[in-house]
Amino acid sequence: EAQVTQNPRYLITVTGKKLTVTCSQNMNHEYMSWYRQDPGLGLRQIYYSMNVEVTDKGDVPEGYKVSRKEKRNFPLILESPSPNQTSLYFCASGRTGGTRSNQPQHFGDGTRLSIL
Amino acid sequence: GDSVTQMEGPVTLSEEACLTINCTYTATGYPSLFWYVQYPGEGLQLLLKATKADDKGSNKGFEATYRKETTSFHLEKGSVQVSDSAVYFCALSDRIIQGAQKLVFGQGTRLTINP
């Protein structure tokens, strides 16, 4: 079954304690991306990756890091979390190529982070 | 930059009512348009899409038509069910390098259907 798997699903932690949210996909997709979802703001892109070792900033990258050492994995790292990073996070993956931007992205079930 | 505006929610309807969720967009190019649905506790799922002007996307009784002249992509369903209760996101994508899409989302509209 095609899946994007995020872990953990829920996390409550404290300011400044480094954390990593993992994301793995089994569809051999080149493109992976992280979004955060906040009330009234929809989803905003944090970082994306076009392929292994190729990553770039999205619209709200401050306070986050990512890495893409393997094609299937795209972890999101919060080196020093702060309360304004309390949010619902989604990982997504998709195919690249073609002349039209019409490839749908597949989303994980989300990770709810609370930073106290 | 590109943006998507959806009608304010929440929207509450009775079962079998007609549904319209408005969505308008601004974009510099010729984006593809999507509706995603998020059921409670789950991630986003693609509901339907349209890739060029006048295309109609449809799925599960939902429809949306890509209207370039009004820059709109309104979601419609003739008779909603309780199981349609979810958050609906309108989104557009513009091609970035190598053909991958950058999705720009609206703020989401929460739909509740009462029996």
Side-chain angles (χ1 to χ4, degrees), chain B residues 28-88:
Chain B
T28 52
Y30 299 93
S32 294
L33 301 174
F34 304 85
W35 277 100
Y36 281 84
V37 58
Q38 183 182 30
Y39 298 105
E42 298 183 14
L44 278 71
Q45 303 173 24
L46 179 67
L47 180 60
L48 54 83
K49 69 177 185 181
T51 58
K52 60 183 187 297
D54 300 323
D55 268 2
K56 177 185 281 188
S58 62
N59 186 25
K60 298 182 180 180
F62 290 90
E63 292 182 340
T65 302
Y66 190 142
R67 301 280 188 208
K68 189 167 182 293
E69 64 276 12
T70 54
T71 62
S72 65
F73 193 55
H74 305 321
L75 183 67
E76 298 177 324
K77 187 173 186 182
S79 176
V80 293
Q81 307 300 314
V82 172
S83 57
D84 294 327
S85 298
V87 180
Y88 292 81

Side-chain angles (χ1 to χ4, degrees), chain B residues 10-21 77 80-82 85 111-115:
Chain B
V11 174
T12 302
L13 296 172
S14 297
E15 204 165 21
E16 299 183 5
C18 292
L19 168 72
T20 299
I21 300 178
K77 187 173 186 182
V80 293
Q81 307 300 314
V82 172
S85 298
L111 174 67
T112 301
I113 308 300
N114 293 322

